[in-house]
Amino acid sequence: MADPPLAPSLLHALTQLLGPRGLLTAAEDIAPHLTDWRNLYCGATPCVIRPGSTEELARAVTLCAAAGVAMVPQGGNTSMVGGATPDESGRQVVVSLARLNRIRAIDPVDMTMTAEAGVVLKAAQNAAAEAGCLFPLSLGAEGSATIGGVLSTNAGGNTTVRYGNARELMLGLEAVLPDGGIWHGLRRLRKDNTGYALRHLFVGAEGTLGFITAASLRMFPRARDTALAFCAVADEAAALALFRRFRDRDESAVRAFEYMSGLGVDFAVKHIEGITLPVATRADHYVLVDLASSRPDAGLREMAESVLFEAMQEGEVLDAVLAESEAQAQKMWRIREEHPEAQKREGASVKNDVSVPVSKVPELIRRCSAALVALIPGSRPVPFGHIGDGNIHMNLEQPEDMEGAAFLARSHGIMDCVNEIVRDLDGSFSAEHGIGRLKTDMMESWRGGAELGAMRAIKAALDPKGLMNPGKVFP
Ligand code: FAD
Ligand code: MLT
Ligand code: ZN
């Protein structure tokens, strides 16, 4: 008979340490932790560890490390690349940070917040707002994604164009290392050149180097003047030209600049209740321009009207609507934010989260769209996303007359097709979602040689037994 997935002595020790709230073993409690948001993977685990404090986590990790048991950190489980789910062996334990959900401190003078790893992103935004400040990271999954998760993936999202990725918002970290040691690095200094910046190693490590348990985060002044425009534009090049117009007029005012294809907006209108097209006529290309300033008299609405007028004269903008109220602004943002859900409801889709230099975005969209339709006739390209960062989700929806499973069986061919063009345009095969389990096979050809060698050396130094999130990131 095969060994049980977890030695009874270890299970007993974990039960003693964590109690029933901190250790889930019943199948129905474990089930939500096993599949990813996209339903690409369904793993197995003997238990889910849910520590209530950093010290409790450290003790649990010490026990697992001594027993040689692999651990999979999990935050909100919204990974787009299967990064937070265990494999099918039933030998990896899931460690959920959900109970580490306290805002430990907030300081509107230093403009910093200390949040535990399991704090949901939306809760962090709300805490900053209550203190009269702004925590700017924003993405469609913000109601579930956690601080530990967004840091571990170095998440981007809608406001990267102005505030940077999660990395740029982090000043210090507290972490539990793979041997159970606690690293107290929760400094909140703007200047701190004291050897290697270890905190940056953990950002984007996708749980392969240890557990982030808390972070010192930067806050910013809250917006006192805003303007939001939903625009129909002539083509991809016009979308980029409009971005340049706004950036040239006042770079600091551009909080988000998002591109959507006509088909992506059609799907949102078709599948998501309450969404309607804000402009009079359907177009093949749209952008959402979000302007914000901490100055109450910034005159952003007038600025938007003036830039849009110029762009219309040049034929770049075909039609545009400015939000008249906060409610209307939220409705316009939903059109963009519901793209992943609408695509899911339309059928099977393959995601290509890629980036290129901003100037090459129009070429990226045009070349990939043509190549994908040639690869799978009838398939439907749905490019959208963070055009101001050069990060387009070059997603592909299944043909209407094809079985979803048959389409998904071609996922890797579809990703290769896009990646070939991305490489030619000096881009990256993973802009913001990370590698997870889905893209490990791409690492050798994109990051092989000295770069992957150095990553392996770092991994071996911090996690010599290879217990942290095995099967992720590395091929
Ligand atoms: P999880 O999915 O639980 O985990 C992600 C990775 O981090 C895993 O490898 C996991 O092992 C590791 N991890 C989690 N917590 C910890 C921790 N405390 N310590 C160490 N490792 C940890 N992403 C973007 O970048 N931009 C977007 O615009 C965006 N939009 C999205 C929209 C939707 C609708 C969805 C479903 C996802 C979107 N994502 C986006 C992807 C996802 O939300 C991000 O990757 C997010 O950062 C994951 O956070 P999470 O808490 O859910 O982490
Ligand atoms: C988003 O920006 O909405 C997601 O990162 C993209 C996706 O679901 O492909
Ligand atoms: Zn995105």
Side-chain angles (χ1 to χ4, degrees), residues 98-393:
R99 287 176 67 217
L100 292 186
N101 61 358
R102 287 169 289 264
I103 304 281
R104 290 192 194 162
I106 195 152
D107 189 328
V109 179
D110 286 338
M111 296 294 249
T112 57
M113 173 192 325
T114 306
E116 292 186 342
V119 169
V120 169
L121 177 54
K122 186 79 196 154
Q125 294 168 355
N126 290 344
E130 277 163 30
C133 301
L134 171 77
F135 182 62
L137 192 71
S138 169
L139 39 96
E142 64 197 23
S144 309
T146 60
I147 293 301
V150 297
L151 287 170
S152 296
T153 58
N154 188 24
N158 305 325
T159 55
T160 301
V161 69
R162 165 87 164 271
Y163 297 100
N165 280 16
R167 182 188 303 284
E168 276 84 38
L169 303 173
M170 182 273 307
L171 294 168
L173 288 184
E174 177 189 270
V176 170
L177 304 178
D179 63 359
I182 302 177
W183 167 43
H184 297 282
L186 271 184
R187 297 182 283 268
R188 50 197 179 96
L189 306 169
R190 303 295 156 137
K191 291 191 161 185
D192 176 28
N193 288 345
T194 48
Y196 296 169
L198 283 185
R199 64 189 187 281
H200 285 303
L201 266 186
F202 284 79
V203 176
E206 301 185 42
T208 59
L209 297 179
F211 296 89
I212 293 174
T213 51
S216 314
L217 302 166
R218 294 176 67 190
M219 298 193 299
F220 293 81
R222 72 183 168 87
R224 291 185 177 80
D225 188 20
T226 57
L228 184 74
F230 187 96
C231 316
V233 294
D235 53 22
E236 304 89 347
L240 182 61
L242 187 61
F243 172 64
R244 290 182 60 195
R245 280 183 192 281
F246 276 102
R247 195 182 56 183
D248 290 352
R249 188 67 77 89
D250 183 357
E251 185 176 27
S252 70
V254 181
R255 178 166 63 180
F257 197 98
E258 295 282 309
Y259 169 82
M260 290 162 281
S261 70
L263 191 59
V265 172
D266 292 346
F267 288 164
V269 170
K270 176 177 169 190
H271 293 292
I272 310 292
E273 208 185 320
I275 287 188
T276 50
L277 187 63
V279 288
T281 319
R282 185 200 178 278
D284 286 334
H285 309 270
Y286 303 96
V287 294
L288 194 60
V289 188
D290 190 334
L291 306 176
S293 171
S294 58
R295 279 177 33 221
D297 58 350
L300 294 180
R301 190 180 174 91
E302 295 72 26
M303 191 262 263
E305 280 168 353
S306 150
V307 172
L308 291 172
F309 180 74
E310 275 174 25
M312 276 181 180
Q313 303 281 86
E314 295 300 321
E316 291 161 9
V317 170
L318 308 175
D319 194 0
V321 176
L322 279 158
E324 296 293 339
S325 63
E326 183 52 34
Q328 214 177 20
Q330 280 178 15
K331 235 178 138 186
M332 285 183 185
W333 256 115
R334 275 193 77 214
I335 302 172
R336 163 62 187 90
E337 292 289 56
E338 294 286 2
H339 263 54
E341 183 61 33
Q343 258 193 280
K344 207 175 182 182
R345 292 188 192 174
E346 178 68 17
S349 70
V350 172
K351 291 184 189 293
N352 294 285
D353 165 39
V354 298
S355 60
V356 292
V358 177
S359 58
K360 296 186 179 176
V361 166
E363 188 182 347
L364 171 86
I365 297 176
R366 278 197 299 268
R367 281 177 62 184
C368 288
S369 300
L372 289 169
V373 173
L375 182 74
I376 304 187
S379 67
R380 296 165 291 165
V382 191
F384 67 96
H386 323 292
I387 184 171
D389 310 321
N391 173 196
I392 293 295
H393 299 299

